[in-house]
Each structure stands twice: as C-alpha cells, then as structure tokens.
C-alpha cells in the first residue's frame, strides 16, 4: 500500500512540477502579441512566437501559417490557412476592395459576383483580362473549377450560414473557408479596418496599416469638428412602394453622425432594437411623418439604379414634392460604388461633411446632387 502511495505521489510531482508552474505543452508557453485594432470589433488577431497568427471571427477560429512554418499540433480545431494564399474564391463582395487595396487582387481567381454587378474598375478589368472568373453564386459554386484552380482559400460572407451544405462540401474538398463579418461592424472605420486582416492573410501587413493610417488621418479634423444641426434621411423606394431605410445603428447613419449630421430616424421612432443593423422597410406615410422636414435627402441608388434628375424622382414619387429638402435643392443620390468600395469610408464621410457644411464639390466620387 505504501509503495502505491509513493508511486502515485512521484507521478503527481513529475507532472505538476513546482507549485504554480504549468506543464509545458509547447502551446501555452508561447508568447502572444495582439494586433492593434482601433475600431473593428468583429475579429481579433494575435501573433504567436511560433510564427503563426491566430484569428478569431465570431465563433470561428483560424491559424494563418507562414509558408515554411509547421502547423501547430494543438490548434483546437481551428481552420488552417497556409501561406502563400493564392487562387482564392471570394464570395464576399465587400472584401474585394479590401483585398485589392493591399495589392493582393492577383491572388483572387474566382468570384461569386457577376461582371455586371461590379462597379469597381479594377475588378471589371480583372474579369475582362481573364484574371478573375465568375464560378457561381455563394450557394452554388462550381466545385470542379475550385479543384482545377487549386483554390487555397474561400472567403464567404455570413450568407453561407444559409447554405451550410456548401461550406461542408468545400471543407470536405480540403479548401479552408473563412467567414468574414465586416458588414456587422457598426462603425464605418471598423469595416475599413478589416483591411488589416487581409493584410495578414496575404502577407501585406505594412501596406494595410499604411492605408488605414492615411484614411483615418484624412478625416481626423472632421471627427473633432463641432456637429452641425442638420438632419439627414437616407432611403430608397422599392417596387412595392415601401420606403427602405437604414436602421439607426447601421454604419451608414453612423457615417452621417461622424460627418457632423443627425440621422432623422431613431430606434424609438422605428420600434427597433438600438443595436439593430442593416435596413428595414416602412410605409411611405411613416416616412413622410418623420422625414418631410429633414434638411437633406439622400436617395440610395444601390438597388434601384442611379437617378439623373430631381424631376425624375418627383414624377415617380409625387409625395416627395412637399419635402423641405426638395424645396431647398438639398436632394442627393449615391453612386453604386458606395457599398462595394469598403476602403472609401473616410472619403464618404468627407463628402457627407461637405454636404452638411454646404461646401460640396460638384465632382464628388460617391454622392451627387440631383439637379432640378
């Protein structure tokens, strides 16, 4: 009996060592350094002394492994992204501009967005030059094309959660799947800060950091400037006559606030959760009650197409004719590139600020005035 107790005690000492010291598994002892993020809340990244970068996005974890580094033995089931990353299938359209901005567009070979639905010149040029190919929407990709191209990574939006079988099939083929959540960022600069993640993935960290620093510095004065008292309604009207607006917590109303304006709708007005994102549809009567005296109307042409003249909009929707902004010539329209050009957040805030302060240029990139 004494021999057994002695043997057990010996084993205990062997595995615990000195009091307060963890056993070295070759994993816990590694030193981690966090990637500095100023605005983004939907992902985190840590550099490990083993040379790998550990990324968390929502409930998913990823390990970015350099070309000559070993895959960590203990990775807790994380998705392994082996560098160099090439022949990527990008099914998240908002990520394309971020990838392009770090100089890695040539690493993307396939897309889920058709040519006519792209408004970014570099993407269209890549398709024209047969450097980028449409291989089907996110829910029905061409698996044979993915294998033929030796795809090393698929980037998906959260829409893939509606087609879990596609993700399972991609993983079964040995293609890692990264589900990005930049659209869940309520801060427009947070969306833009995802450029740092793509800098990590494609080995372009310095370029990503430089771009982000330049863009945020560009609007530093605007963010510290006094707010105006001018109100803004951002909307479009769908084919059924419903008015589609952005929820108050969404990044577009946040851009308006950052530019110095006040978004006309509140969560209480709409009966929504104060943290709710994206869009909602309201009746035209409800829209009129709140927005008729807004100082500025911005018509979102992303779905319906651009509008050439104010008269065209009023002829189609006569109820807008009595709006304060219409009478004062303060009706604007967005260009289609406003939502695909993720890195343009700072420029958009700058343009909104110029509209709010009545200093708008006639040659802006994302928004233009509807002339009577």
């Amino acid at each position: 009996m004494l021999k057994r107790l002695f043997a057990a005690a010996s084993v205990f000492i062997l595995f615990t060592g000195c009091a307060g010291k963890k056993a070295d598994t070759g994993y816990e002892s590694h030193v981690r350094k966090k990637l500095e993020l100023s605005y983004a809340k939907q992902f985190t990244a840590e550099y490990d002394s083993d040379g790998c970068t550990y990324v968390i996005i929502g409930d998913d974890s990823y390990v970015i492994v350099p070309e000559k580094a070993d895959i960590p033995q203990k990775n807790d089931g994380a998705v392994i992204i082996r560098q160099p990353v090439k022949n990527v299938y990008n099914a998240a359209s908002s990520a394309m501009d971020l990838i392009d901005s770090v100089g890695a567009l040539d690493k993307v070979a396939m897309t889920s967005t058709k040519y006519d639905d792209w408004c970014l010149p570099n993407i269209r040029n890549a398709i024209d030059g047969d450097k980028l190919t449409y291989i089907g929407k996110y829910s029905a990709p061409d698996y044979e094309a993915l294998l033929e191209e030796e795809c090393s990574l698929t980037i998906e939006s959260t829409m893939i959660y509606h087609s879990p079988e596609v993700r399972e099939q991609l993983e079964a083929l040995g293609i890692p799947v990264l589900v990005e959540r930049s659209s869940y960022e309520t801060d427009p600069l947070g969306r833009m800060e995802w450029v740092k993640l793509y800098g990590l993935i494609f080995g372009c960290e310095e370029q990503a950091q430089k771009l982000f620093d330049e863009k945020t510095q560009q609007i530093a004065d605007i963010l510290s400037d006094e707010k105006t008292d001018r109100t803004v309604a951002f909307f479009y009207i769908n084919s059924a006559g419903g008015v589609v607006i952005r929820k108050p917590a969404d990044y577009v109303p946040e851009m308006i606030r950052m530019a110095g304006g006040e978004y006309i709708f509140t969560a209480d007005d709409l009966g929504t959760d104060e943290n709710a994102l994206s869009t909602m549809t309201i009746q035209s009567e409800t829209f009129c009650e709140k927005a008729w005296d807004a100082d500025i109307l911005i018509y979102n042409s992303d779905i319906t197409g651009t509008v050439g003249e104010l008269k065209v909009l009023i002829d189609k929707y006569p109820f807008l004719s009595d709006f304060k902004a219409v009478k004062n010539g303060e009706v604007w329209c967005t260009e289609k590139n406003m939502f695909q050009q993720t890195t343009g957040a700072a420029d958009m805030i700058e343009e909104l600020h110029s509209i709010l302060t009545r200093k708008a240029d006639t040659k802006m990139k994302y928004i233009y005035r509807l002339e009577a």
Side-chain angles (χ1 to χ4, degrees):
M1 181 68 175
L2 289 173
K3 288 183 179 180
R4 288 182 194 169
L5 290 172
F6 181 80
S10 299
V11 172
F12 179 78
I13 292 170
L14 177 65
F15 280 93
T16 58
C18 299
K21 182 179 179 181
K22 290 185 178 180
D24 184 7
T25 64
Y27 180 79
E28 291 90 343
S29 61
H30 289 176
V31 178
R32 296 276 184 92
K33 179 184 177 182
K34 285 188 176 182
L35 170 68
E36 184 179 338
L37 296 172
S38 302
Y39 302 94
K41 305 296 184 185
Q42 296 297 321
F43 83 94
T44 61
E46 294 184 341
Y47 304 96
D48 197 287
S49 57
D50 63 4
C52 299
T53 305
Y54 294 76
V55 177
I56 302 294
I57 303 175
D59 294 328
D60 298 325
S61 55
Y62 305 86
V63 182
I64 303 172
V65 182
E67 184 174 6
K68 296 181 180 180
D70 294 329
I71 295 175
Q73 291 184 353
K74 184 175 180 181
N75 53 57
D76 297 326
V79 175
I80 304 299
I81 300 175
R82 166 69 81 176
Q83 294 176 321
V85 175
K86 57 184 180 179
N87 299 329
V88 171
Y89 169 50
N90 181 25
S93 60
S94 61
M96 197 71 91
D97 180 54
L98 296 169
I99 295 170
D100 184 25
S101 70
V102 298
L105 186 59
D106 61 332
K107 304 298 189 298
V108 182
M110 294 157 283
T111 175
S112 66
T113 304
K114 294 181 179 180
Y115 179 88
D116 289 341
D117 293 327
W118 284 112
C119 64
L120 303 177
N122 287 356
I123 311 306
R124 285 187 163 226
N125 290 340
I127 297 174
D128 286 335
D130 294 326
K131 296 178 181 178
L132 184 62
T133 305
Y134 171 77
I135 63 161
K137 59 190 297 188
Y138 76 94
S139 58
D142 184 338
Y143 296 110
E144 289 187 8
L146 289 165
L147 291 174
E148 288 176 4
E149 291 287 342
E150 298 181 354
C151 177
S152 65
L153 177 66
T154 292
I155 300 172
E156 301 278 355
S157 72
T158 54
M159 290 297 291
I160 196 66
Y161 293 141
H162 299 296
S163 300
E165 70 284 356
V166 174
R167 183 176 184 177
E168 292 171 5
Q169 181 62 35
L170 290 167
E171 291 171 341
L173 293 173
I175 303 172
V177 178
L178 182 143
V179 183
E180 77 115 65
R181 296 171 61 89
S182 62
S183 63
Y184 284 67
E185 300 284 357
T186 57
D187 192 315
L189 298 183
R191 287 167 60 90
M192 189 173 68
E193 196 166 22
W194 276 68
V195 73
K196 295 181 181 179
L197 176 63
Y198 294 107
L200 288 172
I201 292 172
F202 292 99
C204 308
E205 294 173 67
E206 288 186 10
Q207 189 164 342
Q209 185 66 56
K210 181 181 178 183
L211 174 76
F212 184 76
D213 290 345
E214 289 175 351
K215 290 293 186 181
T216 50
Q217 185 59 39
Q218 176 182 330
I219 58 170
D221 291 342
I222 292 174
L223 297 181
S224 62
D225 201 3
E226 291 185 10
K227 305 302 179 186
T228 71
D229 59 356
R230 306 189 76 199
T231 54
V232 181
F234 188 96
F235 72 104
Y236 75 87
I237 301 171
N238 64 25
S239 58
V243 183
V244 183
I245 61 173
R246 311 295 291 202
K247 294 178 181 177
D250 187 70
Y251 78 98
V252 173
E254 182 60 20
M255 281 198 294
I256 292 169
R257 288 187 284 267
M258 293 171 77
E262 179 185 344
Y263 186 59
I264 197 70
F265 295 103
T266 66
D268 288 340
D269 292 333
L270 304 172
T272 64
D273 185 279
E274 62 180 11
N275 296 316
L277 305 178
S278 194
T279 63
M280 67 180 296
T281 303
I282 60 176
Q283 297 298 317
S284 58
E285 291 81 7
T286 304
F287 179 73
C288 290
E289 286 175 11
K290 188 68 180 179
W292 72 271
D293 65 343
D295 294 302
I296 297 164
L297 296 180
I298 301 179
Y299 191 76
N300 176 17
S301 68
D302 186 52
I303 304 296
T304 61
T306 54
V307 179
E309 298 177 352
L310 179 59
K311 183 178 183 301
V312 174
L313 192 66
I314 300 304
D315 286 348
K316 193 170 184 179
Y317 309 111
F319 70 87
L320 295 173
S321 60
D322 291 330
F323 277 47
K324 173 182 173 180
V326 172
K327 294 178 178 179
N328 292 340
E330 290 282 11
V331 183
W332 303 77
C333 187
T334 65
E335 298 282 5
K336 292 199 70 175
N337 59 351
M338 183 168 181
F339 296 98
Q340 288 185 356
Q341 198 135 24
T342 314
T343 57
D347 303 284
M348 295 173 204
I349 292 169
E350 203 168 43
E351 290 189 5
L352 286 166
H353 181 71
S354 71
I355 292 171
L356 287 159
T357 56
R358 298 181 174 87
K359 298 176 182 177
D361 194 322
T362 56
K363 296 181 180 179
M364 297 193 297
K365 186 174 181 181
Y366 300 101
I367 310 172
Y368 63 94
R369 189 193 298 270
L370 284 181
E371 300 294 345

